[in-house]
Amino acid sequence: EKLTIIDDLIAEHKEIDDEWQEKNIVTELDALDNQYDGTMEEDERRMFNLSVRVTKTKVDRVKNMIKQALMKSDPKYAVSPRPGFEKQGGQEVCDKQSDFLDYKLDNLPFEVPIGQAIHNSVLKRIGIVRWEHVIKREPRKRDEKYKGTPGVGKPLQVGVDPATQQPIIVQNDGLAEFLRNWPDAAKDYPAYVKQLSEGKEINFVATFTETTYDDPMPISIEPKNIRVRLDCDGYEGLKTTKLIVEYESYSYWELKRKEKQGFFFDVDELTYKDKPEAGKKRDRLERFKNETYEIWRCTFYTKLKESDEDDMKCIFWISEDKKKMIGAIRWPHYGIDSEYVPHYISKNKRGFF
């Protein structure tokens, strides 16, 4: 099934890429970047080349005015109640919603990626932002100290007597606090439990995982690093188009980290020069740990089994040159139909651009 999906993906991508090449989309996007940067073709007949950066001046002015209007307004969102709800005290509820939205926007790292999307929409007709829910957990350490207080506090069950199968009840606030913070301590740290039961003090360095981010994360996508049918019309089209390909690049270390986190699988298959054969030793790339690996992130409608009646929306991560799939999930969102949101300054025609 994996190979069938990969073959279907590559075939659909080829048709899309042919459309882009026929319209010279990537060449046009690169030319606009060069125009903005003031990069000019060398002409040996001229004594010197001079760029007055007219495009950069105009683009930056429009971009900065949009960013100022979007990001510097206060409040960023104003929520107002419906007439009937207002009579029921709805204004207070809406004020709290406005404050919450302002707080979240002040703490979300959206200014840079949205600014990049605005830049692309002014210069290249379209800016693209991919929104995904990101959870970051980081290892942390802290010093902890507990003092046992036998006979003081509320009765607490700390275990079961193996001989009588009766619960072991103690009164010990210090032990109770320790067990609240470390529920499996009776099994994992019996020596600490014993010391606290005897009224002793314990000190140790605790290692734990802290959630440092649990929110939507906007990611700006360069227009030339995405492939979609040119007749795909804006956000509504992106909801239902058969295939969206985003070109991503990863280091080996990044791939292995995502594999450890459970997002990817079979990462090491990308590091071999040849396919597996029975009884044959495979050759690895000489500097596979230092290589950069090109991965396609594909939002694709496909049948997961031949017996399926309808196509299922999924996200696949594949290596096109190795024809290997290293990640796959069914569409993970409940209230979102497209992770990709196009930004337009002016849209005068149907289609993606």
Side-chain angles (χ1 to χ4, degrees), residues 155-170:
L156 173 73
Q157 180 178 340
V158 297
V160 177
D161 189 321
T164 64
Q165 295 299 309
Q166 295 297 315
I168 301 173
I169 307 295
V170 299

Side-chain angles (χ1 to χ4, degrees), residues 212-224:
T212 58
Y213 192 91
D214 185 1
D215 273 307
M217 176 73 77
I219 301 167
S220 177
I221 311 298
E222 274 297 316
K224 70 178 182 180

Side-chain angles (χ1 to χ4, degrees), residues 220-232:
S220 177
I221 311 298
E222 274 297 316
K224 70 178 182 180
N225 288 337
I226 201 167
R227 290 294 183 274
V228 67
R229 294 277 184 176
L230 293 178
D231 61 359
C232 174

Side-chain angles (χ1 to χ4, degrees), residues 59 62-63 66 117-125 345:
V59 167
V62 175
K63 174 180 67 178
I66 295 172
I118 293 171
H119 171 86
N120 284 331
S121 63
V122 175
L123 179 65
K124 306 172 188 176
R125 293 179 289 168
I345 297 300

Side-chain angles (χ1 to χ4, degrees), residues 107-144:
N107 289 276
L108 288 178
F110 83 104
E111 188 165 338
V112 171
I114 297 299
Q116 292 168 346
I118 293 171
H119 171 86
N120 284 331
S121 63
V122 175
L123 179 65
K124 306 172 188 176
R125 293 179 289 168
I126 185 173
I128 306 167
V129 173
R130 172 164 54 82
W131 288 88
E132 63 177 69
H133 183 213
V134 173
I135 301 175
K136 294 182 180 179
R137 297 186 175 94
E138 304 293 342
R140 296 284 189 264
K141 292 183 179 180
R142 65 174 174 236
D143 293 323
E144 292 193 8

Side-chain angles (χ1 to χ4, degrees), residues 71-108:
M71 300 173 187
K72 303 302 180 184
S73 59
D74 187 25
K76 292 183 175 65
Y77 280 96
V79 182
S80 58
R82 295 179 182 274
F85 186 47
E86 185 176 12
K87 295 178 181 179
Q88 302 171 13
Q91 185 61 51
E92 184 180 352
V93 175
C94 290
D95 289 343
K96 290 180 179 179
Q97 291 177 333
S98 297
D99 291 342
F100 173 76
L101 291 171
D102 264 8
Y103 167 78
K104 296 302 287 185
L105 287 175
D106 286 340
N107 289 276
L108 288 178

Side-chain angles (χ1 to χ4, degrees), residues 17 66 107 138 210 212 222 260 282 288 306 309:
D17 199 47
I66 295 172
N107 289 276
E138 304 293 342
E210 180 183 10
T212 58
E222 274 297 316
K260 186 176 181 180
R282 302 174 69 187
F288 69 90
E306 288 295 331
E309 293 184 4

Side-chain angles (χ1 to χ4, degrees), residues 169-309:
I169 307 295
V170 299
Q171 288 180 281
N172 191 321
D173 279 347
L175 177 58
E177 182 184 4
F178 178 62
L179 291 175
R180 276 197 302 271
N181 294 334
W182 302 93
D184 297 325
K187 180 179 66 176
D188 298 337
Y189 308 109
Y192 287 156
V193 173
K194 183 174 183 297
Q195 292 176 48
L196 291 171
S197 300
E198 296 170 352
K200 296 179 181 179
E201 183 176 279
I202 62 172
N203 295 276
F204 62 95
V205 177
T207 301
F208 64 100
T209 301
E210 180 183 10
T211 300
T212 58
Y213 192 91
D214 185 1
D215 273 307
M217 176 73 77
I219 301 167
S220 177
I221 311 298
E222 274 297 316
K224 70 178 182 180
N225 288 337
I226 201 167
R227 290 294 183 274
V228 67
R229 294 277 184 176
L230 293 178
D231 61 359
C232 174
D233 193 29
Y235 181 72
E236 290 300 316
L238 288 171
K239 291 180 181 180
T240 55
T241 190
K242 183 172 179 63
L243 174 64
I244 305 171
V245 176
E246 179 190 341
Y247 301 148
E248 297 182 319
S249 60
Y250 293 90
S251 67
Y252 178 75
W253 181 79
E254 290 171 330
L255 289 172
K256 293 299 288 184
R257 183 175 63 174
K258 281 191 170 289
E259 184 179 46
K260 186 176 181 180
Q261 293 170 340
F263 294 111
F264 289 166
F265 50 79
D266 296 340
V267 165
D268 282 330
E269 287 295 316
L270 306 180
T271 67
Y272 291 100
K273 298 178 181 179
D274 49 2
K275 296 181 179 180
E277 293 183 21
K280 181 182 177 182
K281 184 178 178 181
R282 302 174 69 187
D283 294 327
R284 260 185 162 172
L285 300 171
E286 292 182 6
R287 296 171 56 85
F288 69 90
K289 290 185 178 180
N290 307 109
E291 291 281 344
T292 298
Y293 297 87
E294 301 299 325
I295 303 297
W296 291 1
R297 178 193 178 103
C298 307
T299 305
F300 189 48
Y301 280 93
T302 187
K303 289 182 173 63
L304 299 180
K305 300 190 297 289
E306 288 295 331
S307 58
D308 289 346
E309 293 184 4

